[in-house]
Amino acid sequence: MRLLPVTLATPLLLLASSAFAQQAAAPAVQKTLNIPAIVMFLTFVAVTLGITYWAAQRTKTAKDFYAAGGSLTGLQNGFAIAGDYMSAASFLGIAGLVYTAGFDGLIYSVGWLVGWPLIMFMIAEQLKNLGKFTFADVVTYRLQRVPMRTLAATGTMVVVILYLIGQMVGAGKLIQTLFGLDYTYAVVIIGALMITYVMFGGMIATSWVQIIKAGLLLGGATLIAFLCLLQFGFSPEEMFKQATIVRGSVDAPNLKIMGPGTLVTSPIDAISLGMALMFGTAGLPHILMRFFTVPDAKQARRSVFYATGFIGYFYILTFIIGFSAIVFITKNPDYLDAAGKILNGSNMAAIHTSGFVGGPYMLGFISAVAFATILAVVSGLTLAGASAISHDLYANVFAHGRANEQQEVFVSKMSTIGLGIVAVLLGIVFEKQNIAFLVGLTFAVAASTNFPILFMSIFWSKLTTRGAVIGGAIGLFTAVALVILGPTVWEEILGYAKGSSPYPSKYPAIISVTAAFLGIWIFSLLDSSEQAKREHAAYEAQDVRCQTGIGAEGATSH
Amino acid sequence: MQQDLVHAIKSNPKYHELVSKRSSFGWFMAILMLVIYYGFILIIAYAPSFLAQPVAAGWTMTIGIPIGVGVILAAFALTGIFIHRANTVFDELSNQIKEEVL
């Protein structure tokens, strides 16, 4: 894989660039049937469908559907959170990046991980105490219902759809490569399975698919890393030494892969990148919901603790696998194409390595888990999008809170089907598109719209509806505009000359997040309406509840 | 929530103790995490050669690797510390407030 000058330091981007790399290699892709992989894959699908059926028996209320009835334990939810994080993109992408660039892969892992502790320290306690389980529920606690629900649902839908397109295209390409399936079929299969999981099982099924997948992925990665290290007598130093020799020679080992390269060069880019990563994570709707699938604050905290541990451990494993891949794959003709490049792109480095150290069944197992990973992430996203439609738009805006629970769950299920179809269609339409830009946009939007409103509504008493709506809209438009004016879209997609992009950086967050905060602040202060005064007055009660959780019980049953 | 309950909670000294303890601790931990993370990123941006030096003479492993792994471990450790304190000190105070005002 050519080291894409980074648009956004998320492993998801790697998925994007992987799709790219695979597109370039597409004509050379061999459509061979991998029988062990398909057996493993079908087994996994059967098991997860069984779980969905089991979960459907237990999904009776809206709270069950959206938040698994608050019934998961801290450990289970920790696995589910880790599952949301350990996407196929981070597994295949980071291992692939380490394979290509060595040390630089670690920068991604680290950046991706630190978002969680920050969410925990700053806003998780308050959100859990408030007892509201979607972004819109939180911000309408004291602000006006209709404009805030509409804004929240719009932001959520934009984020979910952009994110879904990226995942669908990436997944389609991955499956096309792994199973030799046609791209269109691969995307349709993912869409159909996703609809089935979400529609019948809701959050309980989605959570359990995540939990099982996270367990399998952790177990599988541990086993591969173990088998890799076995080859080096369990000495990381030996692994590094051989890697530098393979990439150089015995007399002149290539030491470049052992230190930072070219991923992050300017401090402004570094800060901007960090902002998008951290704040974008806090603003992603499917991540926020994970705080509410456990019964109390203790379990919520415990789940974040376990998740941070699992994710950190997992990233260390991918680092080991990536470096082992350098040793095993770089000069192994079995895994190279005619041009001497790694077969099907560097994102297959982890898959090739699993086959090298563990044989075809290991390869099949990892392939099946990788597929399930995408499916699970996509399901979580769809669920968040469906709840934005049914809960925010339908129940609260159109029906003005008069819809009953059955109607709401029904609308939610219809929305799931709709979103699934939209995702499949866009996935097919965007097959040849640069999805890096879509994923970049996703994070920029989440960090620039949802996060500032969420943060201000919890910490700032003078926030008003007008300020939130105008500031949020400014953040949304600024983020979208800067992504379009930045080098990724301007030069690589629109084809203008290199260096001609009006906005020089690939990272819009530093500008768009600041603009959103400023907009919210200024327009809230300028707002002297009666409504604004009532919203100021309501802050006190909200703050007390955020701090203590008193009053939250009973309020969660919508 | 009724206004009198809000006032009862707000006039409880333990409430103020909880709020100030939790927010100062939360912000302290958040800033610590940011300093560690951005410290790492800024070294990458400004002084990459620092991370590219070997851990000891004759080694291939560079000090960037234990430092990078260290940031991951620090994130885990900080989360653990925060949670321990939240589960003991903050929950205890919060329960006392609930008993006194409800």
Side-chain angles (χ1 to χ4, degrees):
Chain A
M1 179 182 79
R2 141 183 95 96
L3 232 181
L4 268 192
V6 182
T7 331
L8 240 181
T10 75
L12 291 155
L13 174 69
L14 297 174
L15 181 61
S17 53
S18 98
F20 236 145
Q22 285 161 22
Q23 257 165 42
V29 170
Q30 300 160 320
K31 300 213 169 181
T32 48
L33 280 184
N34 183 339
I35 300 299
I38 288 171
V39 169
M40 286 288 183
F41 166 69
L42 292 177
T43 309
F44 195 94
V45 171
V47 169
T48 47
L49 281 176
I51 293 162
T52 310
Y53 176 75
W54 169 83
Q57 311 295 307
R58 280 160 188 73
T59 304
K60 294 188 175 62
T61 65
K63 199 186 175 204
D64 286 343
F65 190 77
Y66 298 129
S71 62
L72 298 178
T73 68
L75 182 64
Q76 289 165 349
N77 202 46
F79 263 110
I81 292 172
D84 280 332
Y85 252 69
M86 297 186 296
S87 61
S90 59
F91 176 57
L92 303 175
I94 290 181
L97 187 62
V98 173
Y99 172 80
T100 312
F103 179 86
D104 281 340
L106 199 57
I107 304 173
Y108 276 74
S109 320
V110 169
W112 196 228
L113 184 68
V114 296
W116 266 112
L118 285 170
I119 295 173
M120 180 84 219
F121 303 154
M122 291 195 297
I123 55 173
E125 299 277 303
Q126 283 85 344
L127 290 181
K128 184 70 199 174
N129 279 336
L130 195 60
K132 296 294 181 184
F133 58 78
T134 69
F135 166 70
D137 283 334
V138 175
V139 296
T140 50
Y141 186 76
R142 75 188 157 101
L143 301 183
Q144 273 180 288
R145 199 185 62 209
V146 172
M148 291 315 296
R149 291 262 173 207
T150 310
L151 178 72
T154 311
T156 302
M157 289 305 298
V158 172
V159 168
V160 165
I161 290 175
L162 289 176
Y163 210 165
L164 272 178
I165 299 172
Q167 298 285 334
M168 294 304 273
V169 176
K173 286 289 161 191
L174 185 74
I175 297 314
Q176 184 185 25
T177 311
L178 288 178
F179 293 90
L181 280 172
D182 188 69
Y183 174 81
T184 309
Y185 290 132
V187 171
V188 171
I189 289 172
I190 297 164
L193 285 171
M194 168 185 101
I195 292 171
T196 312
Y197 288 149
V198 178
M199 231 180 66
F200 298 109
M203 198 62 170
I204 296 181
T206 307
S207 297
W208 278 102
V209 171
Q210 281 293 21
I211 292 166
I212 290 169
K213 175 224 103 181
L216 287 176
L217 194 53
L218 268 179
T222 304
L223 192 55
I224 299 175
F226 176 85
L227 292 172
C228 286
L229 284 175
L230 191 65
Q231 308 260 349
F232 303 111
F234 294 100
S235 159
E237 171 62 15
E238 185 60 26
M239 175 179 79
F240 293 133
K241 192 170 278 172
Q242 290 196 25
T244 56
I245 291 171
V246 167
R247 282 289 161 87
S249 66
V250 180
D251 298 324
N254 181 352
L255 294 174
K256 270 196 191 134
I257 56 171
M258 299 304 298
T262 53
L263 278 184
V264 182
T265 44
S266 104
I268 297 293
D269 276 3
I271 292 166
S272 194
L273 176 152
M275 279 174 98
L277 259 182
M278 291 178 296
F279 301 153
T281 307
L284 286 181
H286 67 302
I287 296 286
L288 205 57
M289 281 170 92
R290 287 269 167 232
F291 285 116
F292 304 102
T293 48
V294 288
D296 57 40
K298 260 198 176 61
Q299 298 295 339
R301 292 180 198 125
R302 199 168 290 163
S303 63
V304 172
F305 180 63
Y306 287 128
T308 314
F310 289 142
I311 299 164
Y313 170 68
F314 178 74
Y315 283 159
I316 293 170
L317 294 179
T318 54
F319 193 66
I320 295 171
I321 295 169
F323 259 102
S324 304
I326 295 179
V327 179
F328 303 142
I329 309 296
T330 306
K331 291 192 174 157
N332 189 334
D334 291 351
Y335 300 103
L336 301 178
D337 61 20
K341 299 267 183 205
I342 181 167
L343 210 55
N344 296 335
S346 73
N347 291 278
M348 292 294 110
I351 302 286
H352 293 326
T353 305
S354 70
F356 181 85
V357 296
Y361 278 90
M362 187 59 149
L363 180 91
F365 171 73
I366 292 298
S367 306
V369 173
F371 184 89
T373 296
I374 292 171
L375 196 60
V377 169
V378 165
S379 304
L381 275 167
T382 309
L383 190 65
S387 84
I389 295 174
S390 66
H391 191 65
D392 299 336
L393 282 183
Y394 173 73
N396 281 290
V397 176
F398 294 123
H400 292 286
R402 285 190 298 269
N404 65 33
E405 219 165 66
Q406 279 83 8
Q407 285 169 327
E408 200 183 312
V409 171
F410 175 77
V411 172
S412 193
K413 290 184 172 179
M414 289 305 110
S415 316
T416 303
I417 297 179
L419 276 171
I421 292 170
V422 168
V424 168
L425 291 178
L426 290 175
I428 294 168
V429 170
F430 280 79
E431 183 189 351
K432 305 248 181 285
Q433 275 296 324
N434 182 346
I435 58 170
F437 120 84
L438 292 170
V439 178
L441 199 55
T442 309
F443 269 77
V445 168
S448 313
T449 309
N450 290 2
F451 176 75
I453 300 174
L454 189 66
F455 188 87
M456 294 296 247
S457 80
I458 290 172
F459 289 107
W460 195 43
S461 66
K462 293 197 165 55
L463 176 71
T464 71
T465 303
R466 195 184 297 169
V469 170
I470 298 176
I474 290 175
L476 180 67
F477 287 119
T478 312
V480 174
L482 291 183
V483 169
I484 293 170
L485 297 177
T488 316
V489 176
W490 193 259
E491 293 164 19
E492 288 171 28
I493 296 188
L494 299 178
Y496 289 101
K498 212 158 174 52
S500 68
S501 61
Y503 178 69
S505 172
K506 292 172 188 257
Y507 313 98
I510 195 165
I511 308 272
S512 59
V513 173
T514 312
F517 271 110
L518 274 179
I520 292 171
W521 183 63
I522 291 168
F523 288 100
S524 291
L525 288 183
L526 288 178
D527 187 358
S528 56
S529 62
E530 283 305 308
Q531 175 65 29
K533 292 197 179 75
R534 281 197 296 278
E535 286 163 359
H536 296 168
Y539 178 76
E540 195 179 31
Q542 179 199 304
D543 189 41
V544 165
R545 181 158 145 178
C546 276
Q547 297 291 352
T548 61
I550 293 173
E553 284 85 17
T556 43
S557 60
H558 292 255
Chain B
M1 204 176 346
Q2 297 94 347
Q3 210 53 36
D4 51 342
L5 181 58
V6 172
H7 284 296
I9 297 169
K10 286 201 90 166
S11 57
N12 189 320
K14 280 181 184 144
Y15 174 75
H16 294 281
E17 191 185 344
L18 172 70
V19 172
S20 72
K21 271 189 178 164
R22 181 160 57 203
S23 69
S24 59
F25 187 64
W27 284 106
F28 172 75
M29 298 294 277
I31 289 166
L32 192 59
M33 187 73 249
L34 283 171
V35 166
I36 294 172
Y37 173 61
Y38 275 119
F40 181 64
I41 292 291
L42 291 179
I43 294 174
I44 290 168
Y46 281 123
S49 56
F50 172 79
L51 294 173
Q53 56 185 307
V55 282
W59 281 63
T60 305
M61 197 192 297
T62 53
I63 63 171
I65 286 164
I67 289 176
V69 172
V71 177
I72 292 178
L73 295 180
F76 183 58
L78 289 182
T79 311
I81 295 167
F82 180 87
I83 286 164
H84 177 73
R85 198 170 154 92
N87 281 348
T88 51
V89 179
F90 303 154
D91 276 4
E92 176 61 28
L93 273 171
S94 175
N95 287 335
Q96 285 174 8
I97 296 167
K98 278 180 196 162
E99 273 167 30
E100 285 173 23
V101 301
L102 293 178

